[in-house]
Amino acid sequence: MSKAERLARAALTGIVEPGDETGGRWLREYGPVEVLRRLTASGWEGTGKEGPGQEASVREGPGREGPVREAPGREVSGSEGALPEARGSLTGASGKRLAGYRSRATAVDPVRYLEAAAAVGGRLVCPGDEEWPTQLDDLGDARPIALWVRGRPNLRMWALRSVAVVGARACTPYGAHVAATLGGGLAERGWVVVSGAAFGVDGAAHRGVLAVGGATVAVLACGIDVVYPRGHAELIGRIAEQGLVVSELPPGSHPTASRFVLRNRVIAALTRGTVVVEAEYRSGSLVTARSAQRIGRFTMGVPGPVTSGLSAGVHELLRGEGVLVTDAAEIVELVGEIGDLAPARRGPVLPRDLLDPVTARVLEALPARAAADARSVARGAGTTGDEALARLYELHALGFVERHGDDWQLASSAVRGARARRGGA
Amino acid sequence: MSKAERLARAALTGIVEPGDETGGRWLREYGPVEVLRRLTASGWEGTGKEGPGQEASVREGPGREGPVREAPGREVSGSEGALPEARGSLTGASGKRLAGYRSRATAVDPVRYLEAAAAVGGRLVCPGDEEWPTQLDDLGDARPIALWVRGRPNLRMWALRSVAVVGARACTPYGAHVAATLGGGLAERGWVVVSGAAFGVDGAAHRGVLAVGGATVAVLACGIDVVYPRGHAELIGRIAEQGLVVSELPPGSHPTASRFVLRNRVIAALTRGTVVVEAEYRSGSLVTARSAQRIGRFTMGVPGPVTSGLSAGVHELLRGEGVLVTDAAEIVELVGEIGDLAPARRGPVLPRDLLDPVTARVLEALPARAAADARSVARGAGTTGDEALARLYELHALGFVERHGDDWQLASSAVRGARARRGGA
């Protein structure tokens, strides 16, 4: 992907609302550079807001009458020179939306976004990047334009073996207990736990993972540099240190009700399945669960007392397509079934030679036949504990290592592979 | 069925253990009179225990060499004069069982059973009787030999629209609350609630029904004149007054561990479905549920906290074939689906002319277009409230009436039927 395209996607994350399928269609048909050009045709040039490092191809914003260029490798369908909705048939919501996007486009500054992300150790991950979790493509035109990511681990690797644990903000002590227990149990089985960093179930799930030194991803409905909810400042900071904080909204963005709902589809799509722990009848967590179902992910629910309104939504789910689960073992048993996403069951999916240098060092630091904890692996690899843990989870997703309690060891298939290579050399 | 057969069945309920399929096969092949004759051939005559009212055909017990007679309408297969297991191949458990049965047969006194049953207002209901619930035939050779029944209502009618609510003896306050709520809710929807009169869930379910003036059946693992558990003396007495107390064991019988388990199959077979409210992993209540599944009944479970061992068994069930239910409406929605057992949905199944006189009077006492409570119906029919209620539930099972809260009214289909008849007359 060209720098121009990356910059255009960065800008578009601040213009097009998450999950807007019309925007997704524009992107598919015209490519990001062209979509941005057309949106800014009537104002982008005049704002004087372009940052110093901005790409020429973006800055050379043509005027309203400028020439139309196709995005590389993309077919342009329909007439050229204007987005479909701008061609005379602007009515109702889509017209208003386009007007809103045009207005935002005049103010957006992708270079500042990138700077703000870099300031908190973040980066932009775009479709086509090595780190892009391709399972997000299951969302079709509602796929995120790009993802803003904070944290050391490789998002794509981590997401391979991940499960979402979500639920009510105003959960009961029962819900919090269950979420934390599931989080810890999934982490101890080598699974990455994805949630939304909200109060209640989400926070408890993240904390349960962190408590056992596990891997967790927070998908926010605001920028990765914005702390929401405020009360979770420390938690989100720890997740950024030890795991990943992800958002499809650019730095500085604030959450809205619809952004919370749409964020849920990203959680659902990133993971192999979504577990709902406490949800009121017709609540937002069920939206995540239903999104998951629609794109072929497992939908699970943890039952609770039928006398509790906070379990009513979960029971509703379980009376439909949802699978009842009561502990981490049952979750793993279910989501671990899909062979195509479970490389560990069939040995590593990537040759060692293709691992990045730090990950390769971490793999080398593991003893041949014994298990070791993350700290001793970190010492052996000459890196920090957090870094080592991030790499170990990547290696787990790739099938090179296994986690047993607090210890890590080479997966038997990986050992066999190494032996075979040595024997053949 | 002849008086001889009835008396033989009465005796056999005190000889053959509940659910013994070998005994069931004997009955099917030889008929009750012949089975009894063969079991008592070596001792029945000599005990001097025959009661005064005993049938000649039973008393004329032939000696070991006596002539073999077939039970009416039954084919005798195999050699005659001895039960199959008595013909030289007596080994192991079946030999011991037969010896036990022979020993019991020398002591059994069916006339005393009938007298003891009559003393508590009980009766014997045999296969072929109008009151026999034919759905018990789904148990095959494990079908009860006969049922001892206390209470006014017609067992067959009541069982047509019944649901079992069962669960742990040592239930939590949550389980008790749920059982009572479900019991009351099912009763208010016109359903008969069957349970086992045990402490815990069973008792709570019965009480929940009685509290709303509903219909409930207790199936005991002891004689209908024996109070077990002692602490439920008053409850069982009230059920016998307002509902039905049923057992396949003769008066005076005491419960044993295996009898509890085997009693469960009767509960399962009598009803359209079994709801389990709290059960430990691998508990007896699950046995009922699985029995229900095997013979094509609905199996349902009420979820609870995954942190509660008393819900673990229910969750186990729900992760298999069981259907998650959270209230009475959901239960009725499920079990009400089977058209062939749900006459109310298609109008009465029995012409009015065939109703017994008291039931017909109760039906006549219902106002043509309004609803009335059981007491005013009782006054109109010139009977007691309990009697009226028993008949109203029968009429409900037959599709003549509907229950709305505390009130009863003619089912719309029954009204239409009556109008059509009047129009045609």
Side-chain angles (χ1 to χ4, degrees):
Chain A
M1 178 165 298
S2 73
K3 282 186 92 174
E5 278 195 61
R6 296 182 65 77
L7 210 56
R9 284 194 182 267
L12 288 167
T13 64
I15 298 170
V16 177
E17 273 297 309
D20 179 350
E21 299 199 356
T22 305
R25 187 158 48 76
W26 295 343
L27 274 169
R28 180 163 47 76
E29 293 183 353
Y30 300 94
V33 174
E34 179 58 21
V35 170
L36 184 62
R37 193 192 66 76
R38 298 196 191 192
L39 283 173
T40 56
S42 62
W44 174 272
E45 267 193 340
T47 63
K49 278 204 166 199
E50 295 83 5
Q54 195 169 338
E55 275 292 306
S57 62
V58 174
R59 247 189 301 160
E60 66 177 32
R64 194 179 299 245
E65 313 303 318
V68 172
R69 287 181 315 185
E70 296 181 22
R74 301 206 182 245
E75 233 182 313
V76 175
S77 70
S79 74
E80 303 192 337
L83 293 168
E85 279 75 0
R87 274 182 285 118
S89 62
L90 279 180
T91 52
S94 80
K96 271 186 211 152
R97 185 173 47 201
L98 186 60
Y101 289 174
R102 282 195 188 282
S103 151
R104 281 184 194 171
T106 62
V108 86
D109 184 347
V111 175
R112 290 230 179 114
Y113 287 163
L114 288 165
E115 285 169 354
V120 294
R123 60 189 175 276
L124 182 70
V125 175
C126 294
D129 287 356
E130 180 274 326
E131 197 181 346
W132 180 255
T134 49
Q135 60 267 44
L136 290 181
D137 301 349
D138 292 349
L139 290 169
D141 284 342
R143 180 180 80 166
I145 294 166
L147 289 174
W148 298 92
V149 179
R150 261 177 92 180
R152 290 179 188 81
N154 180 301
L155 174 61
R156 177 174 155 78
M157 292 300 116
W158 270 33
L160 275 179
R161 279 189 161 263
S162 67
V163 173
V165 176
V166 299
R169 282 175 176 72
C171 73
T172 68
Y174 166 71
H177 170 81
V178 168
T181 307
L182 290 184
L186 288 165
E188 285 179 342
R189 283 166 177 80
W191 283 75
V192 176
V193 175
V194 178
S195 194
F199 285 139
V201 166
D202 290 17
H206 288 303
R207 285 201 174 92
V209 177
L210 294 173
V212 301
T216 194
V217 178
V219 181
L220 307 183
C222 57
I224 54 172
D225 61 338
V226 174
V227 166
Y228 187 91
R230 286 245 164 241
H232 274 178
E234 201 190 321
L235 175 65
I236 294 171
R238 280 185 65 199
I239 297 172
E241 273 301 304
Q242 297 177 34
L244 286 166
V245 172
V246 174
S247 176
E248 57 184 319
L249 291 155
S253 303
H254 291 275
T256 64
S258 73
R259 285 173 176 179
F260 281 118
V261 173
L262 289 158
R263 179 267 316 270
N264 294 343
R265 86 190 193 294
V266 179
I267 293 179
L270 265 183
T271 54
R272 290 225 206 141
T274 294
V275 183
V276 182
V277 180
E278 289 200 329
E280 287 191 87
Y281 192 70
R282 300 190 174 176
S283 77
S285 311
L286 298 177
V287 175
T288 315
R290 297 222 180 81
S291 309
Q293 267 172 351
R294 261 197 303 276
I295 56 170
R297 307 292 192 267
F298 288 104
T299 304
M300 296 156 275
V302 179
V306 296
T307 46
S308 164
L310 277 158
S311 286
V314 180
H315 294 151
E316 187 197 351
L317 187 72
L318 295 177
R319 284 173 50 76
E321 293 299 304
V323 175
L324 187 150
V325 291
T326 68
D327 59 25
E330 289 173 357
I331 296 169
V332 169
E333 187 189 14
L334 186 68
V335 297
E337 274 175 7
I338 344 177
D340 58 335
L341 282 178
R345 301 210 158 187
R346 303 183 302 190
V349 288
L350 204 71
R352 282 178 181 233
D353 313 343
L354 295 185
L355 294 176
D356 77 67
V358 182
T359 311
R361 279 211 318 274
V362 167
L363 183 59
E364 290 302 318
L366 277 165
R369 275 176 194 80
D373 65 14
R375 244 178 314 176
S376 73
V377 172
R379 275 195 303 274
T383 184
T384 65
D386 284 345
E387 180 76 54
L389 201 65
R391 302 310 178 179
L392 283 166
Y393 270 98
E394 289 179 26
L395 288 165
H396 181 264
L398 292 169
F400 285 105
V401 305
E402 289 164 357
R403 178 171 171 163
H404 301 286
D406 276 343
D407 287 340
W408 296 83
Q409 66 175 52
L410 288 172
S412 47
S413 53
V415 173
R416 276 198 304 277
R419 276 197 202 121
R421 271 196 303 283
R422 275 198 298 273
Chain B
M1 176 167 297
S2 73
K3 280 186 95 174
E5 277 195 62
R6 296 182 64 78
L7 211 56
R9 284 194 181 265
L12 288 167
T13 64
I15 298 170
V16 177
E17 273 298 309
D20 179 350
E21 299 198 357
T22 307
R25 188 159 45 78
W26 295 342
L27 274 169
R28 180 163 47 78
E29 292 183 354
Y30 300 93
V33 174
E34 180 59 21
V35 169
L36 185 63
R37 194 193 66 76
R38 297 194 190 192
L39 283 172
T40 55
S42 62
W44 174 271
E45 269 194 340
T47 63
K49 280 204 162 201
E50 294 84 6
Q54 196 167 338
E55 273 294 304
S57 60
V58 175
R59 247 189 302 159
E60 66 177 34
R64 195 178 303 245
E65 313 303 320
V68 172
R69 287 181 313 185
E70 298 181 20
R74 302 208 182 244
E75 231 181 317
V76 175
S77 69
S79 75
E80 301 193 336
L83 293 169
E85 280 75 359
R87 274 181 284 117
S89 62
L90 277 180
T91 52
S94 82
K96 271 187 209 152
R97 185 174 48 204
L98 186 61
Y101 288 173
R102 281 195 187 285
S103 153
R104 281 184 192 171
T106 61
V108 87
D109 183 347
V111 175
R112 291 231 177 113
Y113 287 163
L114 288 165
E115 286 169 353
V120 294
R123 60 190 175 274
L124 182 70
V125 175
C126 294
D129 287 355
E130 180 273 328
E131 197 181 347
W132 180 255
T134 50
Q135 60 266 46
L136 291 181
D137 300 350
D138 291 349
L139 290 169
D141 284 343
R143 180 180 80 167
I145 293 166
L147 288 175
W148 299 90
V149 179
R150 261 178 92 180
R152 289 179 189 82
N154 180 302
L155 174 62
R156 176 173 155 79
M157 292 298 117
W158 271 32
L160 275 180
R161 282 192 160 260
S162 67
V163 173
V165 177
V166 300
R169 283 177 176 70
C171 72
T172 67
Y174 166 71
H177 170 80
V178 169
T181 307
L182 290 184
L186 288 166
E188 284 178 341
R189 284 167 177 78
W191 284 75
V192 176
V193 175
V194 178
S195 194
F199 285 138
V201 167
D202 289 17
H206 289 303
R207 286 200 175 93
V209 178
L210 294 173
V212 299
T216 194
V217 178
V219 182
L220 307 182
C222 57
I224 55 172
D225 60 338
V226 173
V227 166
Y228 187 91
R230 285 245 162 242
H232 275 179
E234 200 191 321
L235 176 65
I236 294 171
R238 278 185 67 199
I239 296 171
E241 272 302 304
Q242 296 177 35
L244 287 166
V245 172
V246 174
S247 176
E248 57 183 321
L249 290 155
S253 305
H254 290 275
T256 64
S258 72
R259 285 174 175 178
F260 280 118
V261 174
L262 289 157
R263 178 267 315 268
N264 294 343
R265 84 188 195 296
V266 179
I267 293 179
L270 265 183
T271 54
R272 291 225 205 141
T274 294
V275 183
V276 182
V277 180
E278 288 202 328
E280 287 191 86
Y281 192 70
R282 298 190 174 175
S283 77
S285 310
L286 298 177
V287 176
T288 315
R290 296 223 180 80
S291 310
Q293 267 172 351
R294 261 196 304 277
I295 57 171
R297 307 292 192 267
F298 288 103
T299 304
M300 295 155 276
V302 180
V306 296
T307 47
S308 164
L310 277 157
S311 286
V314 180
H315 294 151
E316 186 197 352
L317 187 72
L318 295 177
R319 282 172 51 76
E321 292 299 303
V323 176
L324 187 151
V325 291
T326 68
D327 59 24
E330 289 173 357
I331 296 169
V332 168
E333 187 190 13
L334 186 68
V335 297
E337 274 176 4
I338 343 177
D340 58 337
L341 282 176
R345 301 210 159 187
R346 302 183 302 190
V349 288
L350 205 71
R352 282 178 180 232
D353 313 343
L354 295 185
L355 294 175
D356 78 64
V358 183
T359 311
R361 278 210 319 273
V362 168
L363 184 58
E364 290 302 319
L366 276 164
R369 273 173 196 83
D373 65 14
R375 243 178 314 176
S376 74
V377 173
R379 273 195 303 272
T383 183
T384 65
D386 285 344
E387 181 76 53
L389 201 65
R391 303 309 179 180
L392 283 167
Y393 270 98
E394 289 179 25
L395 288 165
H396 181 263
L398 293 170
F400 284 105
V401 304
E402 289 164 357
R403 179 172 171 163
H404 301 285
D406 278 343
D407 287 340
W408 297 83
Q409 66 175 54
L410 288 173
S412 45
S413 53
V415 174
R416 275 198 304 278
R419 275 195 203 125
R421 272 196 303 283
R422 275 197 298 271

